[in-house]
Amino acid sequence: TQLLEQSPQFLSIQEGENLTVYCNSSSVFSSLQWYRQEPGEGPVLLVTVVTGGEVKKLKRLTFQFGDARKDSSLHITAAQPGDTGLYLCAGESYYGQNFVFGPGTRLSVLP
Amino acid sequence: DSGVTQTPKHLITATGQRVTLRCSPRSGDLSVYWYQQSLDQGLQFLIQYYNGEERAKGNILERFSAQQFPDLHSELNLSSLELGDSALYFCASSLGVNTGELFFGEGSRLTVL
């Protein structure tokens, strides 16, 4: 069974601060995705990383896939209240059958 | 709007009952996935269908069953409901048989009393 761990579980910061959340596993994944989920809604895909060591930037968000394809990080620069939500990482096995989701990091950005 | 439609949005029922959750995937998507989300378990994969056929099975209880119809909509049937089945049930769809990008519906919140 492939398991993903995310840390921290909860994070509350002030607007303008920087933060990094982590997604770790003992398993190797063919790709890894990050989703954001807001209350009352389903998760929405932010990014997919495929290559070990890959870095992708999406405005103030920077995503990195570990060299060994077992871990990933999401860094947010100058966080805004609109960044508030549950951030989920999901790893795809090499068999491509389904994504395994981590438990999420619940981020609260206070104005 | 993801294009994935789930009904009902909210459902309250009693233990021992049976409910059916419905999902219409995004236009053109052939794969449908069902996930259960509870506070202590996170997002748990239940089952995947591709073009009407079961493709992958996760931690789905025997009391639960699903199917995908020729028009590609899917239903998740939950029977002999227990208090612990209370959760958000999400349907997601993707274009192909392998996962790629998942588009999630807004979920069906099931409360078992």
Side-chain angles (χ1 to χ4, degrees), chain A residues 33 35 37 40-43 45 86 92 96-99 101, chain B residues 35 37 43 45 48 56 90 98-102 104-106:
Chain A
Q33 297 183 337
Y35 290 79
Q37 183 180 14
E41 299 181 9
L45 180 68
L86 179 67
E92 181 178 20
Q97 290 190 321
N98 67 82
F99 275 96
F101 279 81
Chain B
Y35 285 87
Q37 187 177 43
L43 204 62
F45 170 70
Q48 177 198 359
F90 283 103
N98 292 320
T99 39
E101 179 175 358
L102 297 179
F104 283 84
E106 294 185 344

Side-chain angles (χ1 to χ4, degrees), chain B residues 51 68-73:
Chain B
N51 204 19
Q68 186 180 28
F69 295 88
D71 67 352
L72 300 177
H73 91 271

